[in-house]
Amino acid sequence: MKLSELIKMRGFDCSNKVKLVRHQDSRYDVPMLYRNGFFEIYQSLQSKNVFGNCDYILSFIGDEGTKATYIGAYKKCSAKKLDKSWIPEDYPYINDEKYDANYYFYEFEKIDLLSDLVDRLVIEWGKSTRSWYQWLDEKKEKEIVEILPEGYTRDFPGFDELLLSFSEL
């Protein structure tokens, strides 16, 4: 099944301008930001106007190889030049970047599209993983490769290799 087929079945109008975003960056621990509630700030801060021409984004976190796991859908509400006071003081990377007035800050509203599949829907991003955002395009479809069971954390590595973090417990 293809991603656009699934979202059409859920009643979403695919004629909207939708970007697919695969967050995976060697400079940031994106899974940690997601687990600790900082993902939406991370996603909102951009050095270029990458979301200026879209209405919605579907966000994914990059997985092994070229796979990506769905983490939510967002409606873009506004784009502004950044005021550094909008970044929470406890944001882990506040001092690592030169966030200045040239940065863009996007306000997004999370929408209820595929919310039952958050952290479970896995797509094949394709060979162009360096292109971290792409248009939702029926001619360049993203294949759904897996829907993980509810409550899935990760594959069982065997009893000898089993180490769980507190949050996984």
Side-chain angles (χ1 to χ4, degrees):
M1 177 178 258
K2 309 290 186 192
L3 180 60
S4 65
E5 292 172 344
L6 178 62
I7 63 175
K8 281 181 188 175
M9 287 178 13
R10 298 291 182 97
F12 186 78
D13 181 3
C14 288
S15 68
N16 289 301
K17 294 178 182 176
V18 180
K19 281 191 176 176
L20 307 176
V21 184
R22 182 179 188 267
H23 295 282
Q24 186 173 30
D25 190 331
S26 60
R27 299 171 297 168
Y28 305 99
D29 185 349
V30 179
M32 178 274 298
L33 291 171
Y34 180 60
R35 281 190 312 273
N36 294 332
F38 290 109
F39 173 78
E40 291 179 0
I41 287 291
Y42 164 78
Q43 178 172 260
S44 294
L45 297 166
Q46 298 295 326
S47 61
K48 296 181 179 138
N49 191 15
V50 295
F51 303 131
N53 54 354
C54 69
D55 302 317
Y56 294 90
I57 62 172
L58 301 182
S59 294
F60 297 81
I61 289 184
D63 281 340
E64 60 186 62
T66 56
K67 293 181 182 178
T69 301
Y70 178 71
I71 57 171
Y74 300 84
K75 178 181 180 183
K76 185 187 75 179
C77 299
S78 68
K80 309 172 193 175
K81 287 295 189 168
L82 175 66
D83 179 333
K84 198 170 180 176
S85 69
W86 299 336
I87 304 172
E89 289 181 18
D90 56 346
Y91 180 68
Y93 297 106
I94 194 163
N95 296 319
D96 293 355
E97 278 285 343
K98 296 179 181 173
Y99 296 119
D100 59 22
N102 293 321
Y103 264 73
Y104 289 84
F105 185 82
Y106 295 92
E107 288 183 294
F108 293 108
E109 174 187 335
K110 195 161 191 174
I111 62 171
D112 195 33
L113 179 64
L114 306 176
S115 59
D116 59 322
L117 298 176
V118 167
D119 297 327
R120 298 177 49 216
L121 175 68
V122 180
I123 65 168
E124 174 58 44
W125 190 260
K127 295 178 182 174
S128 59
T129 56
R130 292 186 69 178
S131 180
W132 63 277
Y133 60 91
Q134 300 175 12
W135 289 104
L136 176 67
D137 183 351
E138 293 180 48
K139 295 176 187 128
K140 300 176 185 174
E141 269 294 0
K142 301 296 182 200
E143 186 77 30
I144 296 172
V145 294
E146 191 171 17
I147 296 180
L148 300 167
E150 286 188 47
Y152 176 83
T153 307
R154 60 184 159 141
D155 289 337
F156 180 63
F159 289 109
D160 291 341
E161 300 295 322
L162 182 63
L163 293 173
L164 296 175
S165 68
F166 185 75
S167 64
E168 290 173 315
L169 285 172

